[in-house]
């Protein structure tokens, strides 16, 4: 059987059946946004890895090397926010064509460092290899937290919230694929696609409250990622699609392409906003803490119920499934 037949999630499930092993100090292994290890002073160490492949995640003609590096760093660091953590360092392995210019390779590394620095950490090391073809970047992000936010903690009665607004990443990608030059993308779409902001402001504001029961960052699309959260929590999530906040310029972009803005927001991957759950009674305190910290806003978009899976109410018809890295879709 080929990987494209099994799909990313089918393959991961198959791996997990074989890799169940643990070791002293490992609190959480594979299956969440990051692994969780016991660390000093009662804190937890978070470790996660994220790969970016030319031709699959980006096209070289769209972005400069510096932009590609910075985006890869920010995307990898977002998984630490998804665990309720703050970043401590970044490692990057690069597979580069020997024909790449030294300046371009330097710009990649500078971009990785710029993305790390924007999130409060630095590039601490990595590895270099020659690539016979496309550019390949693997980023390992390391962070810490006093209380981690797993995907598995959502409880019936919890409210489901999302940070920021959605749809910009998919809208930007769709415009690029239709031949719009990167420089001509609407500014919000360009910034959100190129320079995603991991939700560390939300983490910092909400950690002291201790109310987040489960969290995930939106990399596969809201619908797909809430599906992951519901499955991990063995609960049902009811998503009110009409409450999902749209990013600026998404409506206009959707109109231009003859698409549905709400559908874009529900399925847009690589958004790197947080979807999370808190007990319903904690919602007001969450909103207050975010406002006091001048963190990005969050919106209640649904609730957790007893049951299984994701139920979407009040939304447009959606294409089946979310982002699957082994699907033939580009
Ligand atoms: Mg993630």
């Amino acid at each position: 059987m080929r990987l494209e037949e099994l799909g990313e999630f089918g393959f991961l499930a198959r791996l997990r059946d074989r890799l169940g092993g643990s070791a002293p100090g490992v609190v959480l292994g594979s299956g969440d946004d990051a692994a969780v290890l016991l660390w000093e002073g009662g804190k937890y160490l978070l470790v996660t890895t994220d790969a970016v492949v030319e031709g699959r995640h980006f096209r070289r003609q769209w972005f400069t090397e510096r932009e590609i590096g910075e985006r890869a760093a920010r995307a990898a660091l977002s998984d630490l926010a998804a665990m309720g953590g703050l970043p401590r360092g970044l490692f990057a392995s690069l597979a580069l064509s020997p024909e790449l210019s030294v300046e371009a390779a330097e710009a990649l590394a500078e971009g990785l460092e710029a993305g790390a620095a924007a999130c409060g950490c630095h590039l601490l090391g990595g590895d270099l290899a020659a690539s016979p073809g496309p550019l390949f970047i693997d980023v390992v992000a390391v962070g810490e937290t006093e209380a981690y936010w797993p995907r598995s903690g959502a409880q019936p009665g919890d409210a489901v919230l999302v940070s920021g607004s959605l749809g910009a990443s998919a809208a930007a990608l769709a415009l690029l694929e239709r031949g719009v030059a990167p420089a001509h993308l609407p500014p919000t779409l360009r910034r959100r696609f190129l320079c995603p902001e991991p939700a560390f402001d939300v983490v910092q504001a909400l950690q002291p409250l201790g109310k987040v029961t489960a969290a995930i960052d939106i990399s596969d699309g809201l619908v797909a990622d809430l599906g992951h959260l519901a499955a991990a929590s063995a609960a049902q999530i009811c998503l009110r699609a009409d409450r999902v906040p749209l990013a600026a310029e998404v409506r206009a972009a959707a109109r231009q392409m003859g698409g549905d803005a709400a559908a874009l927001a529900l399925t847009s991957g690589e958004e790197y906003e947080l979807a999370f759950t808190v007990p319903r009674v904690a919602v007001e305190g969450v909103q207050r803490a975010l406002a006091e910290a001048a963190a990005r806003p969050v919106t209640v978009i649904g609730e957790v119920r007893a049951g299984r899976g994701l139920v979407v109410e009040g939304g447009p018809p959606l294409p089946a499934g979310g982002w699957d890295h082994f699907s033939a879709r580009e």
Side-chain angles (χ1 to χ4, degrees):
M1 190 191 288
R2 294 191 307 273
L3 281 174
E4 64 181 6
E5 294 171 63
L6 193 56
E8 177 188 2
F9 299 108
F11 180 58
L12 286 176
R14 202 164 134 139
L15 274 187
R16 254 194 295 282
D17 287 346
R18 298 179 186 193
L19 300 177
S22 193
V26 178
V27 181
L28 211 55
S30 160
D32 216 304
D33 288 278
V36 180
L37 290 85
L38 277 178
W39 204 25
E40 56 181 17
K43 289 187 178 179
Y44 298 99
L45 187 70
L46 306 170
V47 185
T48 176
T49 176
D50 198 31
V52 181
V53 182
E54 178 184 350
R56 189 70 184 174
H57 295 92
F58 64 90
R59 296 193 197 149
R60 288 286 286 288
Q61 64 267 32
W62 288 348
F63 308 122
T64 65
E65 281 78 12
R66 189 189 157 99
E67 288 169 337
I68 292 164
E70 177 159 4
R71 187 168 187 273
R74 287 169 175 262
L77 288 163
S78 175
D79 276 327
L80 301 174
M83 300 301 289
L86 295 174
R88 290 295 170 255
L90 203 71
F91 300 82
S93 293
L94 309 176
L96 307 173
S97 160
E99 287 158 25
L100 191 71
S101 76
V102 172
E103 291 75 18
E106 273 175 354
L108 258 180
E110 283 167 11
L112 285 159
E113 169 60 23
C119 296
C121 67
H122 295 285
L123 188 57
L124 303 182
D127 194 21
L128 288 173
S131 167
L135 173 62
F136 173 88
I137 309 174
D138 182 56
V139 182
V140 174
V142 179
E144 68 166 61
T145 184
E146 285 178 13
Y148 63 90
W149 299 343
R151 294 181 180 184
S152 59
Q155 299 286 332
D158 283 357
V160 180
L161 300 95
V162 71
S163 70
S165 55
L166 302 180
S169 175
L173 185 62
L175 289 172
L176 288 168
E177 283 176 341
R178 278 158 201 252
V180 174
H184 295 147
L185 285 177
T188 304
L189 303 188
R190 180 179 158 82
R191 183 173 44 79
R192 292 280 301 271
F193 186 73
L194 260 187
C195 255
E197 299 268 359
F200 294 120
D201 54 340
V202 176
V203 170
Q204 274 176 311
L206 298 190
Q207 267 294 0
L209 298 184
K211 296 297 184 192
V212 175
T213 51
I216 189 167
D217 69 328
I218 299 169
S219 52
D220 297 333
L222 180 66
V223 163
D225 287 316
L226 285 181
H228 300 326
L229 202 132
S233 295
Q236 182 176 84
I237 289 181
C238 177
L239 168 65
R240 290 290 309 269
D242 49 349
R243 295 192 187 160
V244 174
L246 282 182
E249 298 167 339
V250 168
R251 223 179 276 280
R255 244 194 327 268
Q256 187 183 336
M257 295 182 288
D260 185 298
L264 271 183
L266 292 174
T267 55
S268 178
E270 301 182 336
E271 289 277 341
Y272 306 114
E273 293 291 348
L274 280 192
F276 62 100
T277 56
V278 301
R280 182 160 294 283
V281 293
V283 169
E284 207 175 308
V286 160
Q287 303 281 21
R288 202 178 319 120
L290 291 164
E292 280 168 10
R296 77 191 72 185
V298 300
T299 308
V300 176
I301 54 167
E303 62 178 2
V304 183
R305 299 172 177 168
R308 290 288 185 278
L310 179 74
V311 177
V312 184
E313 286 179 0
L318 297 173
W323 178 254
D324 183 317
H325 289 282
F326 293 131
S327 76
R329 204 175 82 194
E330 181 87 13

